[in-house]
Amino acid sequence: MDLLHQIVARAKADKQRIVLPEANEERTLRAADRVLADEVADIILIGNPDEIHSDAEKWGLTNIDKATIIDPLNNPKSEEYAQLLCELRKSKGMTIEQTRELVKNPLYLGCMIIKTGGADGQISGALSTTAETLRPALQIIKCAPGITCVSGAMLLVTKQAQYGEDGILVMGDVAVTPMPDANQLAQIAVSTARTARSVAGFEEPYVAMLSFSTKGSANHEVVDKVVEATRLARKIDPSLQIDGELQADAALVPSVGQKKAPGSHIAGRANVLVVPNLEVGNIGYKLVQRLGDAVAIGPILQGIARPVNDLSRGCSVDDIYYMVAITACQAMDAK
């Protein structure tokens, strides 16, 4: 798990302000206490201050006083946030009365704090669904410049050091967009490469656009989509090191890459794998995790202008702690 230690170390080196809007949830509060004790990030807790302090005392958490605590029902900036949210959503017919209620919602409030420069990222999901996490992020923070497609990346830490970066690979999309078109797939490639830099610490992402075909070995419309997505990704980011379409073995194994895709600067050295749809991504990473005994870290949401990450409702304190560090690393790159 050296990668996680590296991520935590990078977070400590440039502390970011991370919002935890589910502050009255035990795992979240315990993770916050540990983050504050280790000085991984500055923490903003959203919840009733008396309840938070009472819970901290009950659970023996001694570092919560180091956090900034914001009461969503007694927030001096509520009207300012409501007016701004109303302006942001007026084209959708949202009224000031509606936004005054929404800024009492911790998930919306956290995103408003980020929007107005008071925080750098947010994590929720211990109590909330993915839709509840994403909705305010997309309405308020919106997507990164040039990106309209949110996606999810998975860090895969394998015991096969000959692949990727000493056995570490980044795969996308594994979480959000079921059937991306060519333009969305191109955006997923660009976003996943950015995650590889900011979170996995790759000096140079080498992106393989995966398919069941390598360089025209098969003809099919889904292969055409991958080829077009590769072209569009280069247009979005001309500096991106990317090639496709490539089969997985051609992307990862130098001898196979030389045989199937001679002259490719990615074949045989890929450290970022972009799959053609969510079905492939979800199945693929779970097979690697279970059959290959790999550690899967994520999913990490990407494509939002400032990082907002989603937890599983079955998450552990460790999961939240490390996601704070991951979100902090993303926040550094987003500035």
Side-chain angles (χ1 to χ4, degrees):
M1 299 298 288
D2 286 344
L3 176 60
L4 285 176
H5 294 148
Q6 292 168 17
I7 290 169
V8 170
R10 287 201 301 275
K12 287 182 177 182
D14 185 5
K15 285 206 298 182
Q16 303 294 299
R17 302 161 298 173
I18 306 301
V19 182
L20 299 177
E22 299 169 326
N24 293 111
E25 196 276 330
E26 181 176 356
R27 293 162 297 170
T28 300
L29 203 58
R30 288 186 180 277
D33 185 76
R34 183 174 159 196
V35 166
L36 292 163
D38 293 349
E39 298 186 339
V40 176
D42 293 324
I43 294 295
I44 299 169
L45 299 172
I46 299 180
N48 182 285
D50 292 337
E51 292 179 6
I52 290 171
H53 286 302
S54 175
D55 287 342
E57 184 177 355
K58 177 172 62 177
W59 296 324
L61 309 179
T62 58
N63 296 282
I64 295 302
D65 286 341
K66 299 175 185 177
T68 298
I69 300 176
I70 297 176
D71 186 346
L73 303 182
N74 186 24
N75 177 17
K77 293 189 175 182
S78 283
E79 185 60 22
E80 173 190 339
Y81 291 158
Q83 294 288 345
L84 176 56
L85 181 55
C86 189
E87 180 66 23
L88 289 171
R89 301 297 293 166
K90 67 180 181 181
S91 65
K92 301 297 182 181
M94 194 170 283
T95 67
I96 187 63
E97 289 78 15
Q98 290 172 316
T99 61
R100 282 173 179 151
E101 288 302 310
L102 279 178
V103 297
K104 297 176 185 177
N105 179 316
L107 300 178
Y108 274 84
L109 175 54
C111 288
M112 291 304 302
I113 295 169
I114 294 169
K115 183 71 174 180
T116 54
D120 303 303
Q122 175 166 293
I123 302 165
S124 59
L127 296 174
S128 311
T129 66
T130 298
E132 289 167 339
T133 293
L134 277 176
R135 190 178 300 113
L138 295 176
Q139 290 179 0
I140 297 166
I141 302 171
K142 304 185 185 299
C143 288
I147 302 294
T148 60
C149 175
V150 175
S151 55
M154 189 68 70
L155 309 184
L156 295 173
V157 184
T158 79
K159 297 176 181 177
Q160 306 299 319
Q162 69 270 32
Y163 301 131
E165 295 287 310
D166 294 322
I168 300 169
L169 297 109
V170 185
M171 179 183 285
D173 173 22
V174 302
V176 181
T177 305
M179 194 62 66
D181 60 26
N183 183 49
Q184 291 172 319
L185 192 59
Q187 294 178 42
I188 290 167
V190 171
S191 295
T192 307
R194 290 173 181 170
T195 297
R197 283 186 185 275
S198 64
V199 179
F202 291 2
E203 185 174 338
E204 187 65 75
Y206 293 102
V207 183
M209 303 293 282
L210 297 186
S211 180
F212 61 84
S213 168
T214 297
K215 298 297 183 179
S217 64
N219 294 312
H220 194 277
E221 61 185 16
V222 297
V223 176
D224 295 340
K225 179 182 79 168
V226 174
V227 173
E228 176 65 3
T230 305
R231 184 188 72 80
L232 292 172
R234 292 192 181 110
K235 189 173 179 181
I236 295 170
D237 183 357
S239 69
L240 189 63
Q241 300 294 314
I242 186 170
D243 199 12
E245 85 285 13
L246 295 170
Q247 291 165 291
D249 57 352
L252 293 171
V253 184
S255 60
V256 177
Q258 289 170 10
K259 184 179 296 184
K260 290 187 175 184
S264 171
H265 64 296
I266 299 298
R269 65 188 302 195
N271 53 23
V272 175
L273 306 177
V274 177
V275 297
N277 59 54
L278 179 57
E279 188 172 39
V280 174
N282 187 273
I283 293 170
Y285 95 74
K286 288 180 178 177
L287 285 174
V288 172
Q289 181 184 31
R290 300 301 177 181
L291 300 182
D293 196 25
V295 175
I297 303 168
I300 301 162
L301 294 183
Q302 52 190 20
I304 305 170
R306 292 290 183 271
V308 173
N309 274 305
D310 179 41
L311 299 159
S312 163
R313 276 171 282 178
C315 64
S316 67
V317 172
D318 276 355
D319 293 335
I320 302 170
Y321 176 89
Y322 288 118
M323 190 57 78
V324 168
I326 286 168
T327 306
C329 289
Q330 287 179 288
M332 296 174 210
D333 189 58
K335 289 184 175 178

